[in-house]
Amino acid sequence: MSLNEVRFLPQCGSTNRCAKEQIEAFGPVAAVYTTDQTDGRGRRGRQWVNAAGQALYYTAILKVPMVQPETLPLFASLAVREQLRLRYGVDCAIKWPNDLLLGGKKIAGILCEAVSYGTGGEGRAYLCGIGINLAQPQSYFDAAGLPYGTSLALQGARVDLDADPAWLAEGLTDFGFDRGLYTFGPEGFAPYRGAYTAACVNLGRRVTFDRPGGRGEGTAAGIDGEGRLIVRTDSGEEHVFTGEVSVSGIYGSV
């Protein structure tokens, strides 16, 4: 039994939207999840394709102070990576800032946002939406136009669709977020920088990234203490935090 409320929804439009609508009913750390999300959204407004019964759609509701909330996506990627390691024995790579790759293809994505709640908007919470591809067949990714997506089952993991979604949701809530926030909340990204750097697939590769007035290009050299991607360019070193970053050498670029 979870130490925090973890609410299963047989079907919903969006776990993030459901969390917002019911946010005042939840405690400091809670979550909602489903295996049938009909109206989600991808990063940067990309089209959503549901995989009913074959994936985990999960949102953590975090009503705890954070000194560095902008790095929550990086912290969350490590939390997901650890739960997947524990359940399936897999070693996922992280594409900065928060996509998880397995076998060189995307296995999970994360989308975080800050929300206000209460009569006067005095409450502050953070939502962390996570999608994990559990058992979609290759035909799903082909039909969805996702040549660089994959599922745990396609990568050889033994997936139990009856038990795994609840196990992952409970583990992420109690251990990934609740326990992890005892450190991440007051200290931020710094204690996790080493683990994140070791898992980050961008480093040492050529990347292109958004910058004011156009696109930049260089070699990803590290992650700084604020979670920014350090890129060495022809004109010097840049610390990238927002915008789209593509990585050369991973099935073209991702």
Side-chain angles (χ1 to χ4, degrees), residues 88-105:
Y88 303 106
V90 298
D91 186 20
C92 295
I94 301 172
K95 174 186 174 284
W96 184 92
N98 55 9
D99 285 344
L100 271 70
L101 308 183
L102 188 60
K105 295 188 175 185

Side-chain angles (χ1 to χ4, degrees), residues 81-225:
R81 183 176 188 267
E82 175 64 5
Q83 291 305 308
L84 293 179
R85 183 191 69 80
L86 290 172
R87 188 64 171 176
Y88 303 106
V90 298
D91 186 20
C92 295
I94 301 172
K95 174 186 174 284
W96 184 92
N98 55 9
D99 285 344
L100 271 70
L101 308 183
L102 188 60
K105 295 188 175 185
K106 184 174 176 178
I107 197 78
I110 298 170
L111 186 65
C112 299
E113 59 181 308
V115 296
S116 298
Y117 64 94
T119 304
E122 67 280 3
R124 186 73 166 175
Y126 301 93
L127 302 183
C128 189
I130 297 167
I132 301 175
N133 299 331
L134 298 177
Q136 298 100 312
Q138 186 59 48
S139 58
Y140 164 84
F141 298 101
D142 294 342
L146 299 171
Y148 307 133
T150 191
S151 67
L152 284 153
L154 284 175
Q155 294 299 316
R158 297 181 63 180
V159 177
D160 183 343
L161 290 172
D162 292 325
D164 290 359
W167 191 98
L168 291 167
E170 297 276 355
L172 280 169
T173 307
D174 289 341
F175 299 100
F177 288 109
D178 187 23
R179 191 168 297 183
L181 282 166
Y182 282 100
T183 300
F184 177 76
E187 298 184 42
F189 177 68
Y192 301 92
R193 182 181 176 187
Y196 185 94
T197 298
C200 186
V201 74
N202 302 65
L203 304 188
R205 298 180 183 272
R206 296 291 292 179
V207 298
T208 57
F209 57 93
D210 291 336
R211 58 152 58 128
R215 297 280 280 173
E217 183 176 350
T219 300
I223 308 294
D224 70 14

